[in-house]
Amino acid sequence: EAQVTQNPRYLITVTGKKLTVTCSQNMNHEYMSWYRQDPGLGLRQIYYSMNVEVTDKGDVPEGYKVSRKEKRNFPLILESPSPNQTSLYFCASSRSGGGYVTQYFGPGTRLTVL
Amino acid sequence: QKEVEQDPGPLSVPEGAIVSLNCTYSNSAFQYFMWYRQYSRKGPELLMYTYSSGNKEDGRFTAQVDKSSKYISLFIRDSQPSDSATYLCAMRGGTSGSRLTFGEGTQLTVNP
């Protein structure tokens, strides 16, 4: 089954404790992206990757890091989480052709930073 | 001001009603216009998309784009309880590269 998986699905942590949210896709997609979803603000892009070892900032990259060492994986790293990073996070992937319109989203990770 | 504006609702309709969902935008360079559907506790999934202006129909769903007014719409005919979800418009084009710009989403409930 074609899918994007994220782990963990739920996470409660404390300010300053480094964490990583994993994302993996099995569709051989070149393009991967991280979004956060907040009430009143909708989905906003954090970082994206056009291919292995190629990453770039989205709209709200502050406080986040990413890496793309393998085509299927695109982890999101919060080195020193703060309460304003409490949000619902989605990883997405798509093939590079077709205008990037068909993005496949993971099930989401709900993060709470105390 | 947001690049894409979408009324968050909530919108509640009886089963069988025609639903109209809308977004306005300010970036005239947008060329791809998408509608994503998001069920509760799930990730968004693409419902349909339109390139440039015009209409596109897929079963009970019709997407319309009016670039002159910077206005897009999604119509749902004969709405069903299974259509209850949040509908997000998304757009890309111009200098945005691969980035999609999403609206806030409209929460729709179809009552049996």
Side-chain angles (χ1 to χ4, degrees), chain A residues 41-61:
Chain A
L41 297 174
L43 274 167
R44 293 177 294 166
Q45 190 179 57
I46 303 170
Y47 268 95
Y48 66 93
S49 170
M50 301 294 284
N51 214 324
V52 176
E53 303 291 1
V54 181
T55 64
D56 208 346
K57 297 176 181 179
D59 297 317
V60 287

Side-chain angles (χ1 to χ4, degrees), chain A residues 14-107:
Chain A
V14 295
T15 299
K17 187 176 181 181
K18 181 179 179 179
L19 66 93
T20 299
V21 184
T22 64
C23 172
S24 183
Q25 50 94 4
N26 63 0
M27 294 168 278
N28 201 37
H29 285 161
E30 297 84 12
Y31 183 87
M32 297 186 74
S33 180
W34 276 102
Y35 295 88
R36 59 179 291 173
Q37 188 174 37
D38 302 288
L41 297 174
L43 274 167
R44 293 177 294 166
Q45 190 179 57
I46 303 170
Y47 268 95
Y48 66 93
S49 170
M50 301 294 284
N51 214 324
V52 176
E53 303 291 1
V54 181
T55 64
D56 208 346
K57 297 176 181 179
D59 297 317
V60 287
E62 295 77 21
Y64 304 95
K65 283 178 60 176
V66 293
S67 68
R68 186 93 182 272
K69 293 183 170 51
E70 302 167 287
K71 196 172 187 179
R72 63 183 294 129
N73 297 323
F74 190 43
L76 179 69
I77 303 157
L78 285 73
E79 298 239 331
S80 183
S82 62
N84 65 12
Q85 292 178 298
T86 293
S87 186
L88 180 57
Y89 291 87
F90 289 101
C91 179
S93 74
S94 75
R95 61 184 182 91
S96 290
Y100 305 95
V101 298
T102 308
Q103 298 208 10
Y104 295 85
F105 284 80

Side-chain angles (χ1 to χ4, degrees), chain A residues 43 101-103 105, chain B residues 4-7 11 19-25 32-38 44-51 54-56 58 61-66 71-76 85-92 100-108:
Chain A
L43 274 167
V101 298
T102 308
Q103 298 208 10
F105 284 80
Chain B
V4 177
E5 297 277 359
Q6 183 177 11
D7 186 341
L11 182 62
V19 177
S20 172
L21 304 168
N22 312 292
C23 289
T24 59
Y25 63 95
Y32 292 90
F33 302 92
M34 293 142 272
W35 287 96
Y36 278 78
R37 179 174 59 193
Q38 184 177 16
E45 58 180 350
L46 181 68
L47 190 59
M48 56 195 307
Y49 78 93
T50 308
Y51 176 75
N55 295 357
K56 188 171 185 177
D58 184 2
F61 298 87
T62 300
Q64 288 185 351
V65 174
D66 181 348
Y71 188 88
I72 71 170
S73 301
L74 177 70
F75 297 96
I76 307 174
T86 296
Y87 291 80
L88 302 106
C89 62
M91 309 176 189
R92 72 165 283 264
L100 299 187
T101 302
F102 284 85
E104 186 178 340
T106 300
Q107 184 180 345
L108 171 68

